[in-house]
Amino acid sequence: MAAETYLQGVEISASQFFEIWRHYDADGNGYMDGKELQCFIQELQQARKKAGLDLTPEMKKFVDQFASSDGKIGIVELAQVLPTEENFLLFFRCQQLKSSEDFMQTWRKYDSDHSGFIDAEELKSFLKDLLQKANKQIEDSKLSEYTDIMLKMFDENNDGKLELTEMARLLPVQENFLLKFQGVKMCGKEFNKAFDTFDSDGNGYIDEQELDALLKDLCEKNKTELDINHIATYKKNIMALSDGGKLYRTELALILSADGN
């Protein structure tokens, strides 16, 4: 199988990396866990042995960490393990995406039309800026290839653009606070009612104090998903989407509405 063959490579191309991910993320949920992760580890070890290659230090560390655990990994974690072409790897190692707060600020910058999505052109601009910050210059055709691959990787509903939760898979799993909110999203009607309730002064946006009250209410109602002790972190990350401390309905909907904005 192609994906298993690619694991034998000294360097893996961006397109091969995508094929490996698509193969082992068998259920398409954006993560490798359980049997998927154990299958990947087993076949990685077999492929390297067949090719006469030792596991790299990164691979050994990865195997030691996950071989006997119930953990899960995302695309970012996989990119730290596989010997992928250098320019493509930069997208998974950029400092702009090391924390949820940084990610939210980056999203706000590149969702320039505030549509709630990043389309192919906005994504291409984002990737180009990341490469320039790393002093890397590549041909436009290569940049287009990377953009296409990233869309294929993250665009779960195949609409040709990335929603906030899809783009957030560029974050390390442990930093992706949006995963906590997947189980508490509301339908559009419920979300609008909650927004109107906690926009206590009726000025059309949620400020930091109002968000604090909303999050406390959510934590009380969803104790298995959300931890009330982490409200300060949730609040800081969500307010990174705000406009000068004003969190409008469309921005908050990205986090809490199952219907988007």
Side-chain angles (χ1 to χ4, degrees), residues 95-109 164 168 171-172 174-178 208 232-242 255:
Q95 293 303 311
Q96 282 178 283
L97 300 175
K98 289 300 182 186
S99 73
S100 286
E101 184 180 9
D102 292 340
F103 168 77
M104 301 296 266
Q105 291 171 345
T106 300
W107 170 272
R108 194 170 185 280
K109 175 182 177 182
L164 180 70
L171 281 166
Q174 69 272 17
E175 274 293 334
N176 190 350
F177 90 103
L178 291 168
E208 196 164 337
T233 301
Y234 301 153
K235 184 167 60 175
K236 181 177 68 172
N237 292 332
I238 294 173
M239 287 305 292
L241 282 174
S242 71
I255 310 292

Side-chain angles (χ1 to χ4, degrees), residues 2 24 29 37 54 78 91 143 175 188 191 194 201:
Y24 289 103
N29 68 350
L37 186 53
D54 292 330
L78 183 66
F91 304 137
L143 184 60
E175 274 293 334
F191 168 76
D201 52 12

